[in-house]
Amino acid sequence: MSDATQSGPVLAADGTPLKRSLARSLRVQKMRAMALIAPLLIFVLISFIFPIGKMLFKSVQNDIVEQTLPLTVQQLNQWDATTGELPDEALYAAFVADMVVAIDAKKHTRLGTRLNYEQTGMSSLFRKSGRKIKRLDPETDGPFKDKLIKIDKKWGEVETWSVIKTHSVKITNGYFLNAVDMQRTPEGAQAQPEDKRILIKLFQRTLIMSLIITCSCIMLSYPVAWLLANLPARSANMLMILVLLPFWTSLLVRTSAWKVMLQQQGVINETLVWLGLVADDSRLALINNATGTIIAMTHILLPFMILPMYSVMRTIQPTYLRAAKSMGATNWTAFWRVYFPLSVPGIGAGSILVFILAIGYYITPEIVGGTKGVFISNRIAYHISSSLNWGLAAALGSILLAVVLLLYWCYDKIVGIDNVKLG
Amino acid sequence: MADTGNHDAFVEFKRVQKSYDGENLVVKDLNLSMPRGEFLTMLGPSGSGKTTCLMMLAGFETATHGEILLGGTSINNIPPHKRGIGMVFQNYALFPHMTVAENLSFPLEVRKLGKSEREAKVKRALDMVQMGAFGGRRPAQLSGGQQQRIALARALVFEPELVLMDEPLGALDKQLREHMQFEITRLAHELGITTVYVTHDQTEALTMSDRVAVFDDGRIQQLAPPDQLYEAPENSFVAQFIGENNTLEGVVTSISGDTCVITLDDGEEIDAVPVNVHNVGDRTKVSIRPERVEFNKDRLHADAHTLKAKVLEFIYMGDIFRFRLSVAGNDEFIVKTRNAPDAIKLAPGQDIEIGWLPQDCRALDA
């Protein structure tokens, strides 16, 4: 009689399968929804996803050697660096041929810069030799081996060729190895010399300091969020404005204000000296070190902790505490056994937010961090804008992203992401 | 209405006042005493001060003036967690992050009971409310009625002598509510606990309680067993608030002992019991219950006063018939009659005569 009693697929009134007619009726809705989000989607794709993807790809991209020196790379593949013998004449000839083309296109200095990341001196070697190789004719001026060595004796060193060979692969792990204080050598991945190992330390410092900042944010925010959630509406609004006030002030202004506060001759030190708590000749070093970064960043990230905490605490009914007390729990037990567990999702949400923001923070450590208080992001910025080693910057950025995703995943496994409430 | 100096009282309010803002009294001079084992309901419209009284008893609000005694000792300065009073909240307040068993175990844990003892008590309490199989569930996985049972079990598990309930059945549907009303009274009497129950539902108050305290405007208007409250309301607020009620307004023309004659505003005269009218000439509201009005002339007393009435509406309610009449200028005069084989069905527009026994008609304050 009805559709439900039929066997086989359920049919709509006009005899088409119900699933198909449902899909058809929903299609228009879906297309309309898509059309509404399309502008944003396209914008995000073009201006965010695509450039970031390209940037991250730079961390492994390494076709410059092969593109600039195609014939040389072919010859290098046949050469074994471990024998300790220089390559033969064929390779030198191929190199000169490649270089002449490259010099014409003014690409040889870029290659020099690239190889200079791996071995200092390569940049000037390519630049200086370039001027002389330019005058050679690859067809007639051979043999080139001795001529090149005469131009610069580095061309007569196995190491030079070995570096070019090692970094002639199209997709390299070299940048990632560099990012974790290792290097790509003919013998495989090896640790950097002791004095060059700074990045792992910087990663560790970034993680530890972010953790300290997150913890101090939790400590400071919890009572404030509690007050916000429990005060009468009018006072809570006032307090909320105070919490949000920093948002309306420029980040640079706030950080600079901390500079004024924390200096050796700054407000805090002056006050402490005036109170006699600190001797005039042993003023506290509060800035241009890790302490400065922690203080300033805790202050700047505080709202990101307070707001999620507040939104969770607001939903905790006061009757829970009353119920606990009516059952004989003291104020402390009621708080610890009932209120606190219910507020954990807020702490979790705030911690994730603050930690992830902190781990990638740049401006504040740059201004108040000195050398002991800078983060990995400052190093990334350095490689992007000063050393122009974008490959290494991209590798560092990728690692940072991976660390954040890993932590997020761990958090999801341990606490559960559905326990996180942002509002 | 003030029970003072009762030495057997278990719970006692002595001249208790409460103000939140220092300008208005939410509770005005409350005096109340309850013997051990009584089931007392505080009934009243919202804002009448009944919940405030309950919260003062529980210790979540402090009395602005007066004394609250529990078992003969003042508890004004005892914090809530030391009062040992079980409480069921309006929204149950079951801890969402604990299982049912953990919820029940909580009051025992804070009392530092051993594990085996706790488990035995939790099991017994769950069985008591027929929820033995649900110990491992979270409150969110339970229906409203089941949560209600757990909240009840949690308030009882640590064996308090006094249990307070703040509109515990408000969120349940009618059928479940009626069932739970029965369950709660059964448990309260079986366990012999003293219960203070707050509700604004007068049916609930009447069916469950030993005594009902009707609150209005921060005062107890009447404190009496349900039958007395219904049949002998002491003032017109109680008469209006409890059950359905018909009011006719008039002036007292004579009083003689336990009867008086009232001249209604349209000039007709009726007999009534003077309750709180004292002088001839006082204005009064006369209260008659709809089911005590009789329009079958054969059943009327020979000496009963009768009034002319016009049927305005007939409402069929299944077990009863309900008629809306126009009586002495009052168009909202309700009459109820049982749907018996010989019941008369009046048609709208019909003119009839109605009457009642003089003792069913109470002359109250205007």
Side-chain angles (χ1 to χ4, degrees):
Chain A
M1 240 197 302
S2 71
D3 284 346
T5 58
Q6 287 176 353
S7 61
V10 185
L11 299 183
D14 60 352
T16 56
L18 190 59
K19 275 196 176 162
R20 199 191 303 161
S21 61
L22 178 69
R24 194 188 303 145
S25 66
L26 291 180
R27 195 176 305 144
V28 180
Q29 277 181 29
K30 276 186 191 159
M31 301 227 318
R32 197 177 299 155
M34 278 302 285
L36 280 171
I37 62 160
L40 180 66
L41 199 65
I42 292 167
F43 177 76
V44 166
L45 270 177
I46 291 178
S47 67
F48 192 70
I49 308 265
F50 177 67
I52 284 196
K54 208 164 149 64
M55 188 68 213
L56 291 183
F57 181 62
K58 276 199 188 301
S59 61
V60 290
Q61 190 185 26
N62 189 45
D63 45 13
I64 184 165
V65 180
E66 206 187 328
Q67 268 177 14
T68 324
L69 308 171
L71 301 170
T72 317
V73 169
Q74 271 178 26
Q75 292 290 330
L76 275 171
N77 285 340
Q78 289 154 28
W79 174 64
D80 187 359
T82 51
T83 58
E85 282 174 35
L86 280 175
D88 53 16
E89 171 61 24
L91 188 136
Y92 282 92
F95 178 70
V96 171
D98 281 339
M99 277 297 275
V100 169
V101 176
I103 293 162
D104 243 19
K106 292 185 172 128
K107 276 156 72 179
H108 68 295
T109 47
R110 269 167 54 199
L111 179 62
T113 313
R114 161 69 186 98
L115 291 172
N116 200 56
Y117 299 147
E118 313 299 338
Q119 174 130 11
T120 41
M122 287 300 250
S123 183
S124 61
L125 174 64
F126 270 79
R127 207 171 48 243
K128 282 178 192 160
S129 309
R131 284 194 288 267
K132 290 173 184 165
I133 294 175
K134 203 173 155 188
R135 278 181 239 126
L136 296 174
D137 184 337
E139 301 294 329
T140 56
D141 284 343
F144 295 104
K145 188 166 179 174
D146 294 331
K147 284 186 179 164
L148 272 176
I149 295 170
K150 224 182 111 190
I151 288 172
D152 195 317
K153 64 174 191 303
K154 278 197 178 158
W155 296 117
E157 287 169 15
V158 174
E159 208 192 340
T160 310
W161 296 106
S162 154
V163 166
I164 299 179
K165 183 182 161 81
T166 313
H167 296 284
S168 64
V169 288
K170 268 185 173 173
I171 300 290
T172 182
N173 56 2
Y175 292 122
F176 276 101
L177 289 174
N178 282 350
V180 292
D181 288 340
M182 293 171 86
Q183 56 185 346
R184 191 181 159 91
T185 64
E187 293 82 36
Q190 282 186 352
Q192 294 263 27
E194 199 86 35
D195 57 325
K196 281 192 169 176
R197 288 183 213 161
I198 52 160
L199 294 172
I200 287 280
K201 218 189 280 174
L202 215 48
F203 267 117
Q204 281 172 351
R205 185 201 288 165
T206 306
L207 288 177
I208 290 170
M209 280 177 55
S210 299
L211 215 66
I212 295 174
I213 291 164
T214 309
C215 289
S216 44
C217 274
I218 295 175
M219 299 291 182
L220 292 174
S221 302
Y222 201 89
V224 178
W226 187 86
L227 266 182
L228 270 175
N230 289 287
L231 279 179
R234 265 187 57 179
S235 341
N237 276 342
M238 269 306 294
L239 193 60
M240 189 55 130
I241 288 172
L242 291 180
V243 168
L244 291 176
L245 206 58
F247 270 140
W248 305 330
T249 323
S250 151
L251 180 62
L252 262 168
V253 172
R254 276 183 284 157
T255 309
S256 309
W258 276 114
K259 237 181 145 99
V260 174
M261 295 282 287
L262 298 174
Q263 284 172 45
Q264 296 257 302
Q265 311 298 326
V267 178
I268 290 177
N269 265 315
E270 290 288 345
T271 313
L272 289 176
V273 169
W274 181 72
L275 287 173
L277 294 171
V278 167
D280 199 13
D281 52 356
S282 61
R283 288 171 180 249
L284 302 175
L286 295 173
I287 204 161
N288 296 331
N289 55 19
T291 319
T293 307
I294 290 171
I295 294 176
M297 279 184 61
T298 300
H299 167 246
I300 282 159
L301 295 176
L302 215 48
F304 295 99
M305 184 67 86
I306 295 177
L307 293 178
M309 273 188 182
Y310 162 64
S311 69
V312 168
M313 285 182 184
R314 210 179 34 176
T315 63
I316 303 175
Q317 295 165 9
T319 47
Y320 289 142
L321 281 181
R322 288 190 163 184
K325 284 182 207 166
S326 80
M327 285 183 269
T330 57
N331 284 337
W332 169 251
T333 316
F335 167 77
W336 184 243
R337 294 282 314 275
V338 178
Y339 196 87
F340 182 75
L342 291 172
S343 68
V344 162
I347 301 178
S351 303
I352 286 194
L353 208 59
V354 167
F355 188 79
I356 289 177
L357 282 171
I359 217 173
Y361 230 68
Y362 163 67
I363 297 180
T364 308
E366 184 73 25
I367 297 177
V368 299
T371 49
K372 289 267 168 63
V374 292
F375 280 13
I376 195 72
S377 349
N378 301 85
R379 201 68 198 165
I380 296 178
Y382 165 75
H383 282 303
I384 292 268
S385 56
S386 300
S387 82
L388 300 182
N389 188 354
W390 285 22
L392 180 56
L396 289 171
S398 306
I399 292 176
L400 199 56
L401 183 63
V403 168
V404 168
L405 290 178
L406 182 76
L407 286 170
Y408 190 76
W409 180 81
C410 288
Y411 187 91
D412 185 31
K413 285 285 151 208
I414 298 164
V415 183
I417 225 67
D418 47 348
N419 272 333
V420 167
K421 282 187 211 154
L422 284 173
Chain B
M1 92 184 80
D3 302 31
T4 44
N6 187 340
H7 297 292
D8 303 328
F10 180 52
V11 178
E12 206 169 357
F13 286 80
K14 277 187 182 168
R15 312 216 57 167
V16 172
Q17 291 183 319
K18 173 72 187 175
S19 172
Y20 286 106
D21 53 6
E23 289 169 17
N24 304 302
L25 282 172
V26 185
V27 175
K28 302 169 183 162
D29 195 25
L30 179 81
N31 292 289
L32 174 69
S33 85
M34 280 176 74
R36 206 174 277 271
E38 188 181 48
F39 195 116
L40 182 128
T41 299
M42 294 177 171
L43 174 70
S46 51
S48 60
K50 58 190 192 304
T51 299
T52 307
C53 284
L54 196 75
M55 289 301 161
M56 285 194 286
L57 187 52
F60 298 124
E61 300 287 355
T62 50
T64 314
H65 175 83
E67 214 177 3
I68 302 171
L69 300 145
L70 182 63
T73 47
S74 168
I75 55 170
N76 281 30
N77 295 317
I78 297 179
H81 67 270
K82 289 189 181 151
R83 295 193 181 189
I85 297 174
M87 187 147 181
V88 181
F89 290 84
Q90 196 167 7
N91 52 10
Y92 318 136
L94 295 175
F95 305 140
H97 59 296
M98 298 184 188
T99 63
V100 164
E102 285 166 347
N103 260 288
L104 261 68
S105 182
F106 184 83
L108 306 174
E109 274 170 53
V110 300
R111 284 178 171 71
K112 302 199 167 50
L113 264 63
K115 190 158 184 277
S116 54
E117 200 179 348
R118 285 204 310 258
E119 278 167 3
K121 286 196 176 195
V122 168
K123 191 181 175 304
R124 205 184 321 145
L126 281 177
D127 288 341
M128 195 167 69
V129 292
Q130 288 111 48
M131 292 287 290
F134 294 86
R137 300 258 193 113
R138 293 281 166 123
Q141 295 167 305
L142 302 177
S143 70
Q146 290 169 332
Q147 290 186 29
Q148 167 59 54
R149 284 164 188 269
I150 300 304
L152 187 62
R154 193 179 64 170
L156 298 175
V157 70
F158 60 97
E159 291 157 13
E161 288 186 295
L162 175 63
V163 173
L164 312 182
M165 304 191 191
D166 184 11
E167 308 208 18
L169 305 178
L172 303 182
D173 62 60
K174 187 168 176 286
Q175 217 168 357
L176 204 51
R177 197 159 63 219
E178 279 168 8
H179 183 72
M180 285 308 293
Q181 285 169 7
F182 169 74
E183 287 279 294
I184 290 175
T185 33
R186 180 183 65 83
L187 277 172
H189 286 135
E190 265 179 26
L191 302 172
I193 41 179
T194 315
T195 313
V196 180
Y197 190 101
V198 163
T199 183
H200 61 263
D201 181 338
Q202 38 121 342
T203 327
E204 209 165 278
L206 293 182
T207 49
M208 297 176 80
S209 327
D210 296 329
R211 278 194 305 166
V212 180
V214 182
F215 275 70
D216 185 46
D217 193 28
R219 287 180 200 281
I220 295 183
Q221 301 291 333
Q222 188 171 357
L223 175 61
D227 54 343
Q228 253 184 57
L229 207 62
Y230 186 81
E231 287 165 25
E234 278 172 6
N235 58 39
S236 49
F237 174 81
V238 175
Q240 280 295 348
F241 194 75
I242 306 286
E244 227 175 345
N245 182 51
N246 291 309
T247 1
L248 297 172
E249 292 191 35
V251 177
V252 182
T253 33
S254 73
I255 304 182
S256 56
D258 56 356
T259 60
C260 63
V261 178
I262 313 291
T263 309
L264 298 179
D265 290 349
D266 68 340
E268 294 210 62
E269 286 194 339
I270 54 169
D271 294 322
V273 179
V275 179
N276 46 13
V277 288
H278 308 290
N279 302 306
V280 173
D282 282 355
R283 276 203 70 78
T284 177
K285 273 184 183 161
V286 180
S287 148
I288 312 114
R289 295 288 178 196
E291 66 279 8
R292 297 292 170 100
V293 178
E294 191 53 76
F295 50 82
N296 188 343
K297 266 190 194 159
D298 307 338
R299 295 211 192 128
L300 271 178
H301 258 269
D303 56 350
H305 255 100
T306 59
L307 286 175
K308 284 192 173 57
K310 191 179 182 71
V311 181
L312 296 177
E313 200 179 355
F314 163 63
I315 301 148
Y316 180 80
M317 295 180 73
D319 54 345
I320 54 167
F321 297 159
R322 199 158 175 271
F323 303 100
R324 189 160 66 83
L325 312 179
S326 171
V327 177
N330 179 357
D331 285 348
E332 298 293 330
F333 198 97
I334 303 294
V335 175
K336 281 187 205 167
T337 176
R338 202 163 59 87
N339 185 358
D342 60 341
I344 302 169
K345 269 191 192 173
L346 300 170
Q350 207 174 334
D351 286 309
I352 54 166
E353 280 202 10
I354 56 168
W356 49 78
L357 299 176
Q359 62 265 33
D360 287 338
C361 176
R362 296 168 67 81
L364 305 169
D365 53 308

